[in-house]
Amino acid sequence: MRIAIGSLMQETNTFVPFRTTVETFESFYLHRGEQMLTGYGAARVEIPAFLARFAAAGAEVVPLIGGYAGASGIVTRAAFDALVGDMTDRLAAAGTVDGVALALHGAMVVEDEPDAESEIVRRVRAVVGPGVPIGVSLDLHGHITAAMLQPDVFYIGYREYPHIDMWETGTRVADLLLDTIAGRRRPVMALAKRHMIVTPMVATTGREPLATIVRAARAHEASGACLHASLFPGQPWLDVPDLGFAALVCADGDRDAAQRVADDLAERAWQARDGFEPDLVALDAAIRTGLSSSGTTVVSDIGDSPSGGSAADSAAVLSALLRLGADKSGRLTYLTLCDAVAAKTAAQVGPGKRARLRLGHRNSPADGAPVEVDAVVRSIGDGEFTMYDAGAEGTVMQLGLTAVLAIGDLRVVVRSHPSFEWDTGLFTAFGLELKRAALVFVKSPAHFRVAFGPHAARILVADTPGPTCGNMRRLKLERVTRPLYPIDWNDQAPSSRNS
């Protein structure tokens, strides 16, 4: 039994001004061929799960390409063709395979194609031919479309957000693919959508109203009505047609049963739509709360979340902290910024020296102006650390040249690459103990709660500006299917099915 494995994962934000290229993938990771077998190290993500399950089944694995570009701007057609072409060339050279396992995100947008994952699957199918099963794992922030439902292709999404089940999702895909190859299962898919968008900060799977819908999905699976019921609250920072909340259901040979489950779950989401309103706090109020309260206050800078595609270089929080005198408060505040130029300048100045720097908005000049600061360079490093908190634990993060700056009572971790802020190592790896800070700012909508929650006396989400803003009514959307809740909802009833 021979099974090909591949991955191209990128979450697009169509509101940022920069593009995603092959170099963007390389700045995170890009494993080609045999590199996939060892390149993931101890990371508990999908590809290592594929490898473990297929090895246990005695299958021969054919590694194609494993690429990751985090969340960033629209992917150039040249980069997409180069990477998918590499994948399909390796697949063609491998000869006959019994199945293909792919780890995709679900919200990749190419310059001329808003539904990149559908194209990836079509191009893989063109190589392997009809009848060869293709199993795909997806992030629950994927943008799911009817075009993704192709013959002999099944999808399984993450069950958890924050994302603490990437390995487990890979395991579920691998097991079902093995069962399909052996003839024990015959997966069929059904999709239902509602044209509504929700901010990820309130669409966590342990929080209402999504928690109730998640329990309904698990109940459908337990009843035998379907094999896997995947919910996709989606990535709201996409201006593409048919954006919305999706229920994608896999059943064993019974497409009508899958459709009934999908319709039920999508309708539950629609009926609960008012419960997804975010509880945002004004940035100044969040700062004042943290500085005047006991313990550590952790604040989400949601508008500048690199896990949603931002450049992570907004100076809005830094500017507000300085304006409110947090640098002279007598209590520590931690925050981050992505600014490769400033990191390089600090490195040239050297630890222990004072530097005059302009911080922020290198890649987002339309969103604000840099802030000039007089800082002491506390440390310089290569920005590498291993994630140990739940989620993608075991993943080695590469932040590039990183400088820790002291601006009075502020500690700013200035890094060169915009990577997701899920792990406390973002600060602790650079000598900043969380318990010493009154305020800790994290550029993440929700995932940070897993790692930072145990250290927080309270958690707030600040209504910060940027391409990942938490207020859905601020988004300027032109290509989406209308009406779209909550931006311009009227009394027109939503369609019951998009499949």
Side-chain angles (χ1 to χ4, degrees):
M1 178 169 50
R2 304 180 77 232
I3 301 176
I5 63 169
S7 177
L8 278 178
M9 298 185 73
Q10 188 265 3
E11 182 176 11
T12 296
N13 184 314
T14 61
F15 297 102
V16 298
F18 43 88
R19 289 291 192 261
T20 297
T21 64
V22 172
E23 290 73 26
T24 312
F25 280 86
E26 290 173 341
S27 73
F28 286 87
Y29 64 76
L30 185 55
H31 307 309
R32 299 179 188 270
E34 297 291 320
Q35 294 173 348
M36 290 184 69
L37 303 180
T38 58
Y40 290 84
R44 288 186 58 80
V45 294
E46 297 92 326
I47 292 296
F50 289 170
L51 292 171
R53 299 305 281 182
F54 296 147
E60 176 190 349
V61 169
V62 178
L64 304 175
I65 185 173
Y68 179 79
S72 52
I74 292 170
V75 182
T76 67
R77 169 52 69 176
F80 185 75
D81 282 345
L83 295 170
V84 179
D86 190 345
M87 176 184 286
T88 54
D89 286 349
R90 291 175 185 274
L91 184 58
T96 302
V97 295
D98 298 290
V100 180
L102 299 175
L104 307 178
H105 183 279
M108 183 190 294
V109 176
V110 182
E111 288 172 323
D112 57 354
E113 174 55 76
D115 184 9
E117 281 78 9
S118 289
E119 181 174 337
I120 292 172
V121 173
R122 286 195 303 271
R123 290 169 69 166
V124 168
R125 172 63 66 203
V127 175
V128 299
V132 175
I134 300 172
V136 184
S137 66
L138 296 171
D139 189 307
L140 62 69
H141 293 121
H143 166 55
I144 310 303
T145 69
M148 294 171 68
L149 275 63
Q150 301 173 29
D152 299 307
V153 180
F154 69 84
Y155 300 89
I156 301 175
Y158 299 164
R159 291 181 176 180
E160 304 287 346
Y161 181 60
H163 300 317
I164 58 174
D165 70 329
M166 290 179 275
W167 170 282
E168 289 78 7
T169 303
T171 297
R172 287 190 281 270
V173 170
D175 287 347
L176 183 53
L177 185 60
L178 290 168
D179 284 345
T180 304
I181 293 170
R184 293 186 292 268
R185 298 287 191 187
R186 189 166 59 88
V188 293
M189 305 299 304
L191 169 66
K193 296 190 76 170
R194 297 295 183 270
H195 293 134
M196 54 184 280
I197 55 173
V198 299
T199 173
M201 68 168 280
V202 295
T204 55
T205 49
R207 171 178 175 168
E208 298 297 350
L210 188 56
T212 293
I213 307 169
V214 168
R215 287 194 294 272
R218 301 290 82 79
H220 281 302
E221 293 168 347
S223 74
C226 63
L227 297 174
H228 299 281
S230 301
L231 299 169
F232 294 87
Q235 205 280 61
W237 304 298
L238 286 175
D239 191 6
V240 295
D242 202 30
L243 186 66
F245 191 112
L248 185 61
V249 177
C250 177
D252 189 7
D254 191 340
R255 198 180 309 276
D256 289 340
Q259 191 65 62
R260 287 192 294 271
V261 173
D263 289 341
D264 173 67
L265 295 173
E267 183 60 20
R268 287 173 184 265
W270 177 252
Q271 294 302 325
R273 62 193 180 278
D274 292 340
F276 288 106
E277 284 291 325
D279 182 16
L280 298 166
V281 178
L283 177 56
D284 286 10
I287 292 171
R288 293 190 177 101
T289 296
L291 294 179
S292 63
S293 303
S294 61
T296 299
T297 300
V298 176
V299 183
S300 163
D301 176 8
I302 190 172
D304 192 31
S305 302
S307 55
S310 80
D313 68 348
S314 171
V317 170
L318 176 60
S319 180
L321 287 166
L322 293 171
R323 176 169 46 79
L324 295 175
D327 56 321
K328 302 178 182 68
S329 68
R331 303 186 70 193
L332 292 176
T333 295
Y334 299 164
L335 65 154
T336 71
L337 265 175
C338 182
D339 190 327
V341 174
K344 183 178 180 180
T345 301
Q348 291 170 341
V349 170
K353 304 293 182 59
R354 188 170 293 276
R356 188 72 180 171
L357 299 166
R358 288 167 58 84
L359 293 176
H361 296 290
R362 302 285 180 184
N363 292 308
S364 61
D367 293 336
V371 175
E372 288 201 14
V373 299
D374 185 26
V376 175
V377 180
R378 287 176 58 90
S379 66
I380 299 293
D382 62 7
E384 180 177 308
F385 70 93
T386 300
M387 293 176 62
Y388 292 110
D389 296 318
E393 64 265 41
T395 299
V396 177
M397 300 299 295
Q398 305 280 356
L399 307 185
L401 182 65
T402 299
V404 178
L405 306 179
I407 308 169
D409 296 320
L410 309 183
R411 301 293 181 265
V412 189
V413 179
V414 181
R415 65 186 189 268
S416 298
H417 302 314
S419 56
F420 42 74
E421 301 197 1
W422 292 357
D423 196 90
T424 53
L426 188 69
F427 297 106
T428 60
F430 305 104
L432 300 178
E433 297 180 68
L434 298 181
K435 66 182 180 182
R436 296 188 60 220
L439 271 166
V440 175
F441 281 88
V442 187
K443 296 177 183 294
S444 167
H447 203 298
F448 74 96
R449 292 174 181 269
V450 172
F452 288 84
H455 304 276
R458 66 200 59 80
I459 293 177
L460 304 174
V461 180
D463 189 10
T464 51
T468 58
C469 65
N471 185 344
M472 298 293 93
R473 292 175 178 83
R474 286 187 183 177
L475 297 177
K476 293 178 172 57
L477 298 164
E478 298 176 351
R479 302 183 64 197
V480 296
T481 302
R482 299 298 181 100
L484 179 68
Y485 182 88
I487 292 175
D488 54 5
W489 175 246
N490 56 33
D491 292 333
Q492 178 182 342
S495 61
S496 62
R497 181 179 299 181
N498 294 106
S499 60

